[in-house]
Amino acid sequence: MKLAIISDIHGNLYALMKVLEDIEDQRVDSIICLGDLIGYGPHPNEVVSMIQRRNILCLKGNYDVSVVSDSYAYIRETPTNLFALPWVVNELRAANKFYLDSLPLSINLEFNGKTIKFVHGSPKAINEYLLEDDDNTTSAMAELKEDILVCAHTHIPCIKEFGSKLFINSGSVGKPKIRTPDATYCILDIDRDGNSKAIIRYVPYEYKKIVKDMTMLKFPSSLIRSIENGIE
């Protein structure tokens, strides 16, 4: 079973389109999205529509929850979010808000004898950061009942073994924090014997297109620069 795991698209249609093209080349069996379809980028409705048209299995992200509830309960009240949240709340169609609100917070699947838990932030909280060397990540993996934990939210991809368990963060399609504008996603391959192999793929895209759209819509320059340079 070969899975493509995407997350944190954040309203970046151009990055999503390029990643989906790359996924087609990888000949995967299925695609799973870990949430945060919207926020920051100028294409929230287009991104949600594309995920729906592709029938991609999808979780709810913390920014998705914040937009649906029109509150800062799950995101930081930063200058960027003081612009981005109300902008998306106003822009997102009611049907797309209903879709995001209906998404699950986690999914458990089993392939070839391997159990996998998919979450946006952590098994405990939708907005908890799990960085590979942090104590809370070590604790989460010690408490994990499944064989593999797959998360996102940090926008920083990684793959790390914790004993016999595998930790994966798929990174971000639309707003990476890796000092490059390249989109990232994960390919998880579990063979018939239950052996697991994961890789992070880095996908360049024409980020100047989204920069142009954001500039025309008068998005904050700091937000535009974060898309250009991959730095928060």
Side-chain angles (χ1 to χ4, degrees):
M1 174 61 70
K2 195 174 184 181
L3 302 174
I5 303 149
I6 63 175
S7 190
D8 295 272
I9 304 161
H10 284 297
N12 188 336
L13 181 64
Y14 305 124
L16 176 60
M17 291 172 65
K18 200 65 178 179
V19 163
L20 291 175
E21 288 178 12
D22 191 76
I23 288 172
E24 287 183 6
D25 293 338
Q26 303 308 306
R27 300 180 180 276
V28 304
D29 298 297
S30 187
I31 304 173
I32 296 177
C33 178
L34 304 184
D36 272 8
L37 280 64
I38 57 176
Y40 305 124
H43 313 124
N45 291 302
E46 294 86 346
V47 166
V48 173
S49 294
M50 181 166 287
I51 293 294
Q52 288 184 286
R53 284 199 306 272
R54 295 288 191 106
N55 293 315
I56 293 173
L57 184 61
C58 193
L59 299 180
K60 186 184 299 182
N62 65 301
Y63 219 111
D64 304 326
V65 174
S66 296
V67 170
V68 169
S69 62
D70 191 8
S71 76
Y72 293 91
Y74 295 96
I75 61 174
R76 293 170 293 169
E77 201 167 337
T78 62
T80 295
N81 285 330
L82 286 171
F83 167 84
L85 179 65
W87 189 91
V88 180
V89 168
N90 183 65
E91 188 74 12
L92 194 66
R93 299 188 190 107
N96 289 334
K97 288 181 183 178
F98 179 82
Y99 166 76
L100 293 175
D101 194 34
S102 71
L103 296 175
L105 294 173
S106 66
I107 297 174
N108 284 25
L109 298 175
E110 181 176 348
F111 298 109
N112 298 332
K114 288 288 186 181
T115 53
I116 313 168
K117 176 175 282 291
F118 298 89
V119 297
H120 179 73
S122 80
K124 289 185 176 179
I126 195 172
N127 60 343
E128 182 180 9
Y129 286 96
L130 292 183
L131 298 168
E132 59 179 315
D133 295 324
D134 282 359
D135 291 342
N136 64 325
T137 305
T138 301
S139 298
M141 293 305 294
E143 296 169 4
L144 185 71
K145 297 179 181 179
E146 294 78 15
D147 300 303
I148 303 171
L149 176 63
V150 185
C151 65
H153 184 49
T154 67
H155 299 203
I156 301 172
C158 72
I159 298 166
K160 184 176 181 178
E161 292 182 351
F162 287 78
S164 62
K165 299 175 184 177
L166 184 63
F167 172 78
I168 298 170
N169 189 306
S170 64
S172 172
V173 169
K175 196 177 182 294
K177 298 178 184 177
I178 53 174
R179 297 183 178 275
T180 170
D182 292 356
T184 64
Y185 76 97
C186 179
I187 296 285
L188 174 61
D189 197 354
I190 304 175
D191 67 20
R192 293 179 180 178
D193 297 322
N195 299 308
S196 306
K197 179 182 178 182
I199 61 168
I200 301 295
R201 290 192 60 81
Y202 295 78
V203 182
Y205 73 100
E206 295 183 54
Y207 67 90
K208 290 183 179 179
K209 287 186 176 181
I210 190 172
V211 167
K212 181 180 179 181
D213 290 354
M214 294 168 77
T215 301
M216 290 177 61
L217 291 167
K218 301 186 185 306
F219 276 41
S221 58
S222 58
L223 179 52
I224 295 172
R225 285 197 302 272
S226 72
I227 296 291
E228 291 179 297
N229 58 32
I231 301 174
E232 186 176 23

